[in-house]
Every structure is written in structure tokens, then in C-alpha cells.
Amino acid sequence: RERERERERGGGGERERVMLGRMFTMGNVLRGTRAYSTGRSYGNLQDKDRIFTNLYGEQDYGIKGAMKRGDWHRTKDILSLGRDAIINEVKKSGLRGRGGAGFPSGLKWSFMPKQSDGRPHFLVINADEGEPGTCKDREIMRHDPHKLIEGCLIAGFAMGAHTTYIYIRGEFGLEADRLEEAIAEARKEGFLGPNACGSGFAHEVYVHRGAGAYICGEETALIESLEGNTGKPRLKPPFPANVGLYGCPTTVTNVETVAVAPTIMRRGGDWFASFGREKNSGTKLFCISGHVNKPCTVEEEMSIPLKELLERHCGGVRGGWDNLLGVIPGGSSVPVLPKDICDTVLMDFDDLVSHKSGLGTAGVIVMDKSTDIIAAISRLSLFYKHESCGQCTPCREGCPWLSSVMDRFVAGNATVDEIDMLQEITTQIEGHSICALGDAAAWPVQGLIRHFRPEIEQRIAQYHSAGANSIGAR
Amino acid sequence: LAPAAGLAPAAARRLATNSHDHFNIHRDTTDNNRDVPFDFTEANYERVAEILARYPSNYKQSAVIPLLDLAQQQNDGYLTLNAMNKVADILEMANIRVYEVATFYTMFNRSKMGKYHLMVCGTTPCMIRGAPGIYQALCDHLGLGGYGETTKDGMFTLSEMECMGSCVNAPMIAVADYTEGAEGYTYNYYEDLTTQDVIQLVERLRKGEKPAKIGSQHRDKCEPAGVVVGDKWVAMEGTETLQGPPPGPYCRDLAAVKKAREEAAAKKAAEGAK
């Protein structure tokens, strides 16, 4: 199957490796066993197993409320276990990055140098939640900020970082204010500062607000933006763990990944790994938007069947399950899945990859039969065109092309062989850019062509039969 | 000098970073040219110092985004040429580096704004949940021809924004309030909107009142409670999760964990010695 994908993209092994390195763990590709073959079903997470107990903001978000819910409990003892113990526990838990790439977190945190060579280490929290369909980090930051702050301390300690910067998108004004409040409260209690939690380890957390750029959610672009430049990504290698913020070893992680770390330490990596399938463990915040009866953010077990997620928590698809057209399961950067796959797919990294999509950030966009799927994907192409930083030619030139051709597909003002042409353009963008925004722009269009080609052809036939037949006219 | 001379405003806007700026080059106007000065107020200089203290003193450039944002809040919602130059001075950066940042990020405005900046999210999750209806209602109500325009009384500028990170509460708008400088600046989300909601909101702002409710207009936060459909809020009962008071603090036996690790390490060392 790997060779088939290679041939499809017409590329050599190099691009494959770049692609895999970007989206998926090395070697963790494609084949996943069905949940039911192991005799266990996933989903129906119980409240006692939920980590984000104030997800809907019904309790006090301040430090008193947080401590009543268990935050900052025995943090000093956790730190006294030592750096290696913390990283091992995170490795044991099987936690994979919650920011979209799903890279194993324990492994990523272990890339930081064990001994500083004189340069300070930095932990940077990626709170630039810009992926369409995703709105989970804002709930953590406005209702449970202390989970994040404590996570910064524990993760920072594990990496030898005395400073954390939380890069929050500029539009999240309330969330940034809540974070500042939480940091001030934590400082006042001595949980942060020169002697964090009495452990002897100094740690400071600062909030840095962005100014509206989706590309700054990419880790090296984020670092560039933090340094005061335009948010244009850097080439990797060198990786941020070697040369990152201000040229120092840096780890950039997502809010949710760091916010679950204290609970993993307190309840054990084994507990976290007991949820979800192997290599896809833990609980996850799912944001379900679009044509469901109750769009919401909910914490559920990994590997929950998509159908159960929508029916249990969102009141089902508008008009009934059979009214479903397609679902984008992981934020706009992953390909759309048609209904027949949605009937049985599990919401975890591996099963979605095996269906040529991805879990991404678990921003589930549900579309029913009333949706003009071509217009929906075309709007995403416009999004990527707007958000492209402009550094790499394939993305800077290719994204506007995708957008303008998709615009014509919405009207039907095209010819059928232009569908294959568009597919070819996406393969020329994918894997040829410095960062993954090019890939992210290509994938939705590929998903549309793969699963909804008949709609596009029908639209084209309709347009031409209606009489207008000039390619130049719009 | 007319902005973007030679190009119709709508066409010029398509080439700019956000939906309401004209071009990425600077064009002199009476309010915005080399001779119109800008300096931070005393109170804002204190904020500047507080911001600079977050970053290493030899990497002051990191403060460029927060300082430009502060300058914009102070200056009725847009960055003049000298506002950008002042930030460049404070941070000891070349002017061009600040211009690069100001033209790269969508939240920076470089043309005159209305008193309130209304930003409609238009990306797919909001689009399929009624954002075009919100846009149309605002255009009709305010008498605007499209995104990027400001009302004749200078009260409202309407823009389209890309995904604002509020997808389960779609459709939504964000409102930036530039009426009271940096001290009174607010940037709030108003979510789960029907067209009546958004018109009521705009009318309250016009009267100088604050909108009744920030965030979701029909539910509390992002809990499953219903959705806007057919331009009406349709409630649906039943939140299954987070019922009852949350559990209190818990931690497993860390001493046992530490002991187990030490024993395992000792065992490994002993085997290594053999």
C-alpha cells in the first residue's frame, strides 16, 4: 500500500519520508486492526475518567476552584521523581501530540538535550488554535488554565526549561486574560517563580499574543513570530530541539498535550494508556461542528466510533444518520470522508490514516446532504490561499491556483479533464514546501476528488448544458 | 492622493493582507503621512515596559507584535506610518522589519477604521452554519456593499476573518471596540448568532451601549444544548457528560513509584556490573 501511495504521488521515497515525518509517526502507518476484533469497544467515557472536569466552565476557573478539582496537588512530589521519570511516564502513557501531527510526546520531549551546553532551554506552548473546526484549546485556557500552567511547569522541568512562552492567537482576548490571571495566581502562591512549588527549580511562564496568522501554528513559524519576525517557517533540520527560539533548544507543544501531563503523572501512564487502542491511547477533546443537532466540545475516549460520537453527544446528524453527506474528521487539513466510511470508522490516528484521512486536531466538521460539498472545500482552498505565508513557490503559487480552479468547479465552469489537472497540481504542492501548509492545502482537494468526483462532473455537465460555455467567464 | 491610485478599492483590497486594507504599500493620506506624529501615552509607556520585561533584553524584537497591537488600540484602531516607526525606534529595529510584520498579520489595520470593527468568520464550519446570512444581514442593515467597507457615519467597519477558533458555536462575529483607546479596548466574540441577534447587537453598539451578552447568545459555553438552524436557535436537551460535582484531588502513591524506579535501576546496574 505504501508503494501504491508513492506511485499515486509520482514521487520518490524521499517525499514519502518527509510526508510521514510530518504527519505520522515513523513506521506507524496504515494497517490498524478493527476495534471489535479485539473484543473491546471504545467510547462511553465515564465522568470519573475525564481529565478536563471544567470543560463547560461551570466551576470556578481560578486557582481555588482548580485546586479543589485536583490541580497543583503534590506537584513538588511529581517533580522530585526527576526528569527521566516524567518523560518515561509520558512515554508509557502513549500520549501523542494533540496539535495535529500526533507525534509521540514522550519521544519528542526526550529530544531536548540532557545537559544544557550553556544555552537556556525553552518550552513554547502552541495556543494558536487556527485550524478550521478546532476550538478545544480555548476551553482549556478559559476554564481550566491551571491545568495548562501546571503542565508547563512539569513539562518544562522534564526538558530542563526554566521559561515557558504560551503563544496564543491574538483573537483569543478573553482566553489570554484568563491565562494571565492564572499565571499571576500561581506566582502568588509560589507555584511559579525562582523556587517553583518549593522544588528548587525556577520556572516562569509568559503569555505572548499573536496577531492573526494561521501559519504561526506551525512550530518553526511560531518560533519566528515569537522572535519578532514575520511568521515564515524554517527548514528542518535543524530541529527546534537543537536550534529553536533565539537559537536555543526549544520544544513546541500543543496546549492539550501539556495540559494532560499533570494528570498522567498523578494517575499513571498505564491509566492513560488503558483508553483507546494500542498506539492511540488516552482521552481526547473532540470539537464537533457543522450539521449536527448539538455542536459541542466533548472529552471522549480515543478510538470511539465516529457514529457513536455524533449520536451520543451531538444529538445525531441533522435529519438522521442517513442524511449525512460527509465528515472532515480532524480539522480542515485532513481529507473529507464520505458517509459509507463514516458508518464504521474509529476516531483515532491509525484508523483514520488507513482510510486516507487523519485525526489531526479532532475538529469534526459534519456536512449533511444539503451541503454544497464543492463550495465547502472551495472555501477551504480560499482559506489556505489567504493563510499561505508566501515563502515557497509551490504553496504561494499553487494555493491561489487551487482556489481559483475550485471556484470554477463550484460553478461547473470547467472541463472534466481539469479534475485530473487539479489532482496533479495538488501532488506538485504536497511535499514540496518547507512546512505542511502546502500539504494541508492539497489534502482537502484530494479528498474531494477521491470521494466526490461524481458531484464535480455532474456540476460541470449542468453548467455546460445550461448554455454558458466560455472558460474565461465566471 | 487616492489610496491604491489606479485600482478600484475592491480590486486593491484583494491584494492586501486582510479584507479592509488597501495594498501592502503605504499610500499617504491627510491622516497618515510622514508628518502626522505618533507617540505612546504615559500610561501606555508603562505597558510597553511591562511587555518588554517578558523577553530577554537582547531580543527586544520579540515585543513587536504586542507593541504594534498597543499602538493600534491607542490610535483608533489603525497603525499610521509613524506609529510603526515609533515601535521600530523603541525596539531598535529597522523600520522595514516592522512594516513586514504589520503587513503580514491580519489583525493589524493600516487604513482608517470605524469605531467598531465587526469581523464575521467565513471559513467552512461557520459558512455551512449560516455565516453568509449574517454577512448579508449586516450589509443590508448597515447599508454596505461588501466586506472591507466602513459605514458613512464612521461607526462600523465590516470585515471577513478566517477561522476564529469558535467552530462549535457557529456562526459568530468578533467585535473590536476602538472608542476608548487602549484602556477601554475590548475584542469580544459573539457566537451562536441569528440575524436578529447580530442586528440587535449592532444597534446597542450604535447607541453606545455594551452588548447584553458576550460569547454564546443562546447557551452557556460550548456544551451540547442546541444549534442555530433556519435563523433560529433550536434548543435540544441533554448534556450527558460532566454531571455532578467534579472529583477532588487525587494522586497515586508516588513514593511507591519512586521506589520501583530505584529498584529497577539498581537491578539494571547490578546486571551491567556482572
Side-chain angles (χ1 to χ4, degrees):
Chain A
R1 239 189 281 192
E2 278 175 68
R3 252 175 287 150
E4 184 191 287
R5 287 170 75 213
E6 221 175 281
R7 242 183 287 125
E8 223 181 279
R9 267 183 269 114
E14 180 62 54
R15 202 187 315 163
E16 179 91 293
R17 260 179 280 127
V18 169
M19 285 286 302
L20 286 172
R22 251 179 224 154
M23 266 288 279
F24 319 121
T25 329
M26 301 287 186
N28 239 0
V29 187
L30 296 176
R31 271 157 285 118
T33 49
R34 293 255 125 218
Y36 300 102
S37 67
T38 66
R40 194 199 141 171
S41 69
Y42 300 92
N44 197 12
L45 189 70
Q46 301 300 300
D47 274 348
K48 65 174 169 61
D49 294 321
R50 290 202 151 84
I51 298 176
F52 297 105
T53 45
N54 195 26
L55 188 63
Y56 303 133
E58 293 172 321
Q59 320 289 334
D60 170 30
Y61 63 83
I63 196 163
K64 290 206 170 59
M67 290 178 76
K68 256 210 300 209
R69 291 192 296 278
D71 300 328
W72 298 111
H73 179 59
R74 301 191 59 191
T75 315
K76 180 176 175 192
D77 297 333
I78 294 174
L79 297 178
S80 73
L81 290 174
R83 286 174 65 161
D84 292 335
I86 295 174
I87 293 191
N88 278 332
E89 202 70 42
V90 176
K91 279 187 179 161
K92 229 192 324 174
S93 73
L95 175 66
R96 287 171 71 165
R98 300 297 197 229
F103 193 86
S105 298
L107 187 59
K108 182 167 173 179
W109 297 5
S110 72
F111 290 156
M112 292 290 271
K114 296 285 176 281
Q115 282 277 76
S116 162
D117 60 5
R119 296 175 296 163
H121 294 182
F122 289 101
L123 170 63
V124 174
I125 305 296
N126 187 343
D128 190 67
E129 191 163 59
E131 179 83 5
T134 313
C135 43
K136 60 180 175 74
D137 294 335
R138 71 183 297 226
E139 309 303 342
I140 300 174
M141 291 188 288
R142 59 178 176 158
H143 300 143
D144 244 335
H146 282 282
K147 287 211 156 54
L148 175 60
I149 311 292
E150 191 189 1
C152 292
L153 172 60
I154 291 177
F157 175 80
M159 298 174 200
H162 293 291
T163 313
T164 296
Y165 285 102
I166 302 178
Y167 185 105
I168 184 172
R169 65 179 295 179
E171 294 89 338
F172 281 169
L174 173 73
E175 290 76 3
D177 290 340
R178 294 271 171 101
L179 279 178
E180 302 269 23
E181 249 186 85
I183 292 171
E185 287 176 325
R187 271 201 200 117
K188 189 147 160 264
E189 297 290 325
F191 294 156
L192 293 175
N195 184 11
C197 294
S199 65
F201 186 75
H203 198 83
E204 274 300 348
V205 181
Y206 301 107
V207 173
H208 174 101
R209 296 183 61 199
Y214 165 75
I215 183 61
C216 290
E218 202 277 335
E219 66 173 353
T220 55
L222 197 154
I223 294 173
E224 282 290 308
S225 182
L226 243 179
E227 291 187 356
N229 302 317
T230 56
K232 295 190 174 171
R234 302 173 177 170
L235 268 173
K236 295 191 283 196
F239 289 89
N242 289 330
V243 179
L245 182 65
Y246 310 132
C248 303
T250 307
T251 299
V252 182
T253 50
N254 179 255
V255 169
E256 195 186 347
T257 316
V258 163
V260 300
T263 310
I264 289 178
M265 292 310 299
R266 278 190 279 267
R267 297 213 211 174
D270 297 329
W271 165 82
F272 194 78
S274 70
F275 303 109
R277 295 190 302 163
E278 207 192 319
K279 295 207 168 75
N280 292 280
S281 51
T283 64
K284 180 83 183 69
L285 289 174
F286 293 93
C287 304
I288 303 100
S289 59
H291 297 148
V292 287
N293 289 312
K294 295 191 280 183
C296 63
T297 305
V298 65
E299 183 176 2
E300 255 296 351
E301 184 182 8
M302 285 280 283
S303 309
I304 181 175
L306 174 60
K307 186 165 182 192
E308 183 180 334
L309 180 68
L310 297 184
E311 300 202 321
R312 181 187 288 277
H313 296 292
C314 308
V317 176
R318 183 168 82 175
W321 182 258
D322 287 328
N323 195 30
L324 180 64
L325 179 66
V327 169
I328 301 178
S332 68
S333 299
V334 302
V336 64
L337 291 175
K339 174 178 179 296
D340 55 315
I341 298 180
C342 297
D343 287 336
T344 52
V345 78
L346 307 177
M347 295 298 288
D348 63 19
F349 293 104
D350 293 336
D351 201 43
L352 285 166
V353 166
S354 73
H355 288 102
K356 296 202 163 121
S357 187
L359 184 65
T361 54
V364 183
I365 307 173
V366 177
M367 292 175 281
D368 71 5
K369 294 207 158 83
S370 73
T371 319
D372 180 352
I373 187 78
I374 308 175
I377 304 293
S378 171
R379 185 55 182 81
L380 291 180
S381 297
L382 179 65
F383 170 80
Y384 288 109
K385 165 186 156 184
H386 187 275
E387 300 292 348
S388 170
C389 76
Q391 202 176 195
C392 319
T393 306
C395 177
R396 182 187 65 246
E397 303 304 321
C399 289
W401 272 118
L402 287 184
S403 183
S404 72
V405 177
M406 283 300 300
D407 267 350
R408 284 196 290 112
F409 280 7
V410 172
N413 180 6
T415 57
V416 170
D417 53 339
E418 289 189 290
I419 304 177
D420 294 307
M421 180 198 78
L422 193 63
Q423 172 77 20
E424 173 65 19
I425 294 177
T426 61
T427 64
Q428 290 180 356
I429 301 171
E430 196 186 0
H432 290 109
S433 48
I434 290 178
C435 81
L437 192 144
D439 313 343
W443 286 327
V445 177
Q446 288 178 352
L448 179 74
I449 294 174
R450 185 181 304 128
H451 294 297
F452 292 97
R453 195 180 176 120
E455 316 314 345
I456 312 178
E457 293 187 355
Q458 189 188 44
R459 189 75 57 90
I460 292 173
Q462 255 177 328
Y463 179 89
H464 288 293
S465 73
N469 56 10
S470 158
I471 294 288
R474 286 199 65 216
Chain B
L1 288 164
L7 253 87
R13 263 181 243 120
R14 281 161 65 89
L15 295 161
T17 318
N18 53 37
S19 60
H20 47 277
D21 269 341
H22 304 285
F23 254 161
N24 281 340
I25 356 180
H26 170 74
R27 300 278 185 185
D28 277 346
T29 63
T30 40
D31 293 317
N32 186 4
N33 56 62
R34 253 169 277 276
D35 299 321
V36 175
F38 174 88
D39 202 358
F40 284 112
T41 61
E42 284 242 1
N44 284 342
Y45 264 116
E46 286 176 27
R47 289 202 177 128
V48 168
E50 191 267 310
I51 289 168
L52 284 172
R54 299 176 190 210
Y55 309 101
S57 54
N58 55 335
Y59 286 102
K60 282 202 280 209
Q61 190 171 337
S62 292
V64 69
I65 289 178
L67 289 195
L68 283 174
D69 186 48
L70 186 61
Q72 184 170 284
Q73 291 173 28
Q74 178 185 308
N75 199 54
D76 297 327
Y78 76 117
L79 293 169
T80 54
L81 189 62
N82 278 322
M84 295 188 274
N85 292 341
K86 173 57 68 176
V87 171
D89 271 340
I90 295 174
L91 299 177
E92 293 166 16
M93 286 164 75
N95 289 356
I96 182 62
R97 295 292 176 209
V98 176
Y99 303 158
E100 280 178 349
V101 169
T103 52
F104 183 87
Y105 296 93
T106 51
M107 284 178 76
F108 293 132
N109 313 313
R110 287 173 306 102
S111 21
K112 206 154 158 87
M113 301 294 291
K115 297 210 172 78
Y116 296 98
H117 188 189
L118 309 173
M119 294 162 273
V120 183
C121 174
T123 314
T124 300
C126 281
M127 181 184 101
I128 59 178
R129 274 258 78 118
I134 302 293
Y135 160 69
Q136 201 53 58
L138 282 170
C139 279
D140 292 340
H141 186 76
L142 297 173
L144 299 172
Y147 284 125
E149 295 190 9
T150 305
T151 53
K152 286 196 173 58
D153 57 5
M155 285 292 288
F156 301 105
T157 300
L158 182 67
S159 287
E160 182 180 28
M161 281 299 189
E162 300 301 320
C163 180
M164 299 289 268
S166 173
C167 316
V168 305
N169 295 91
M172 58 82 68
I173 69 168
V175 178
D177 177 346
Y178 295 117
T179 56
E180 291 169 35
E183 291 73 22
Y185 174 74
T186 59
Y187 187 110
N188 291 318
Y189 280 18
Y190 301 95
E191 305 154 346
D192 286 321
L193 295 169
T194 63
T195 52
Q196 293 98 300
D197 291 331
V198 79
I199 290 173
Q200 270 170 27
L201 197 120
V202 159
E203 285 311 306
R204 283 188 74 124
L205 291 175
R206 197 196 290 283
K207 288 193 223 126
E209 293 166 16
K210 300 257 180 274
K213 189 169 185 243
I214 294 177
S216 172
Q217 302 296 295
H218 296 280
R219 55 175 143 162
D220 197 26
K221 304 289 185 330
C222 62
E223 75 277 13
V227 71
V228 170
V229 62
D231 205 28
K232 276 203 332 264
W233 172 257
V234 176
M236 192 174 187
E237 286 306 308
T239 304
E240 257 204 28
T241 64
L242 298 179
Q243 303 292 303
Y250 164 78
C251 187
R252 63 198 165 125
D253 187 353
L254 291 177
V257 171
K258 201 168 187 177
K259 191 152 163 261
R261 280 184 59 85
E262 283 164 2
E263 285 173 0
K267 198 164 158 211
K268 207 165 167 203
E271 282 170 7
K274 278 197 215 125

